[in-house]
Each structure stands twice: as C-alpha cells, then as structure tokens.
Amino acid sequence: MSKLIIPKREEVSAANQAIFDNLEKAVGFVPNIYAAMAHSENGLGNYLQYSGGKTSFNNKEKEVIDLAVSQVNGCQYCLAAHTAMGKMNGFNDDQILGLRQGNSEDVKFSALAKLAQSIAANKGKATDAEVEAFYEVGYNKENLVDLVLAVGIITTTNFFHNLTDVAIDFPVAKSL
C-alpha cells in the first residue's frame, strides 16, 4: 500500500500545478511518481530539472540505463514505466528483458547496461574490465561522467518508489 496519497492538482502548490499542466500536455497524464513528488514544494521541479538535463546519451541509451539500473534496484514502478518508454523508443519485449539482465545483441548497449548495473550494484564501483569494455565499444570520458549522473537520476526515482510504493500507472513489467 502506498505510503503517500497521490495529490490532485488542486492540492499542490501553484508551481507544481504548472508542472502538472506541462506533464499533461507532454505525456497525456501526470505519472503517479511525479504527482507524489509534488508533496514537496521544490522536489518535483528539482527532480525534473535534473532528470531533463542535457546528456551525451540518446533516448535509446537512456532507456538502456534506466532499465538496467531499475532491475538492480528492484523498482517495479520504473521497470513498468521504462518498459513502456523503451517500446516507444524502438525496443521489443525480448530486447527489454535482455537489457534488464545487462545483455543485448547490440554490443554497445550491452556494455552500457553492464557498466550501469555494476555502478548501481557496487555503490559506484566497477571493474577495470567493465570500464574498458565501455570504452572499447566507442564510449568516452564524457559518456562515463553522464553515465554516473544517469545512474544517480534513475536511482533517485527507484529509491523514491521503493520507499513510497506509489501505485504503478503503467502496464506492469514482466518478471525475470
């Protein structure tokens, strides 16, 4: 059971109401995880600014990271949301399940998923071989910095959901 009630638009601050309106326009609804963050005057806006920042990764690569890390962190909400977004970005069900396990037929995605999972599972640490594999497939130091930031962003959402157990409003992701 959720530890936070999902607030309605009229129950949040004016700033958060504006964010709700923007989410409605962009996504078609306000995802429960974001609505729950609106209990904080600044939390939702700060999170969206951080998560929406520029990165060296394209949308597919961001989904690789989000799926791989959400699996490590056991976040059912983010697995559901990023399964849906992964499909919108061109991944099929089998590819999504593989990425959650740190595997892909695409060697670049595989190296990215494996390093993201290692960073998440090992509190920022990874083996030299994992980092070298990341570089060998064409990633660079800028990508490494952006990967750490991306792991932090999705981990924030994972931890928020794992703590609050906000109702999942996306199709539930298959179990591995």
Side-chain angles (χ1 to χ4, degrees), residues 8-23 30 34-35 37-46 48:
K8 294 178 176 54
R9 184 186 181 281
E10 60 273 7
E11 297 172 332
V12 301
S13 69
N16 283 332
Q17 287 179 7
I19 293 170
F20 277 29
D21 294 344
N22 289 335
L23 286 167
V30 178
Y34 293 156
M37 287 182 183
H39 282 288
S40 167
E41 173 71 26
N42 301 301
L44 177 58
N46 288 343
L48 291 174

Side-chain angles (χ1 to χ4, degrees), residues 57-65 68 89-91 95 98-99 102-116 134 137 139:
F57 293 116
N58 64 38
N59 287 341
K60 282 187 104 164
E61 290 167 320
K62 289 191 292 187
E63 291 308 321
V64 168
I65 297 163
N89 281 287
F91 290 118
Q95 291 168 322
L99 292 169
N103 298 310
S104 174
E105 291 178 5
D106 182 304
V107 294
K108 208 165 177 185
F109 290 157
S110 190
L112 179 60
K114 282 180 178 21
L115 184 54
F134 178 77
V137 296
Y139 290 113

Side-chain angles (χ1 to χ4, degrees), residues 20 31 36 90 99 132 147 167 176:
F20 277 29
L99 292 169
E132 189 56 38
L147 176 56
L176 291 184

Side-chain angles (χ1 to χ4, degrees), residues 2-164:
S2 177
K3 294 176 180 81
L4 286 177
I5 295 169
I6 305 303
K8 294 178 176 54
R9 184 186 181 281
E10 60 273 7
E11 297 172 332
V12 301
S13 69
N16 283 332
Q17 287 179 7
I19 293 170
F20 277 29
D21 294 344
N22 289 335
L23 286 167
E24 282 277 352
K25 288 177 192 165
V27 183
F29 71 108
V30 178
N32 284 342
I33 198 88
Y34 293 156
M37 287 182 183
H39 282 288
S40 167
E41 173 71 26
N42 301 301
L44 177 58
N46 288 343
Y47 176 80
L48 291 174
Q49 184 176 4
Y50 182 42
S51 67
K54 292 182 182 180
T55 180
S56 59
F57 293 116
N58 64 38
N59 287 341
K60 282 187 104 164
E61 290 167 320
K62 289 191 292 187
E63 291 308 321
V64 168
I65 297 163
D66 290 345
L67 287 161
V69 173
S70 294
Q71 184 65 44
V72 168
N73 290 328
C75 180
Q76 297 306 308
Y77 187 99
C78 293
L79 288 170
H82 291 287
T83 293
M85 288 189 273
K87 289 177 183 179
M88 289 173 32
N89 281 287
F91 290 118
N92 65 38
D93 287 329
D94 290 338
Q95 291 168 322
I96 288 168
L97 291 172
L99 292 169
R100 288 174 50 193
Q101 295 172 13
N103 298 310
S104 174
E105 291 178 5
D106 182 304
V107 294
K108 208 165 177 185
F109 290 157
S110 190
L112 179 60
K114 282 180 178 21
L115 184 54
Q117 286 188 323
S118 185
I119 291 167
N122 299 303
K123 300 178 184 173
K125 296 178 182 167
T127 67
D128 290 343
E130 289 165 329
V131 175
E132 189 56 38
F134 178 77
Y135 288 139
E136 284 177 2
V137 296
Y139 290 113
N140 58 37
K141 292 174 185 173
E142 176 185 16
N143 300 130
L144 185 66
V145 171
D146 288 350
L147 176 56
V148 172
L149 294 173
V151 169
I153 291 165
I154 192 62
T155 296
T156 298
T157 316
N158 294 163
F159 286 8
F160 184 71
H161 182 263
N162 288 349
L163 174 65
T164 62

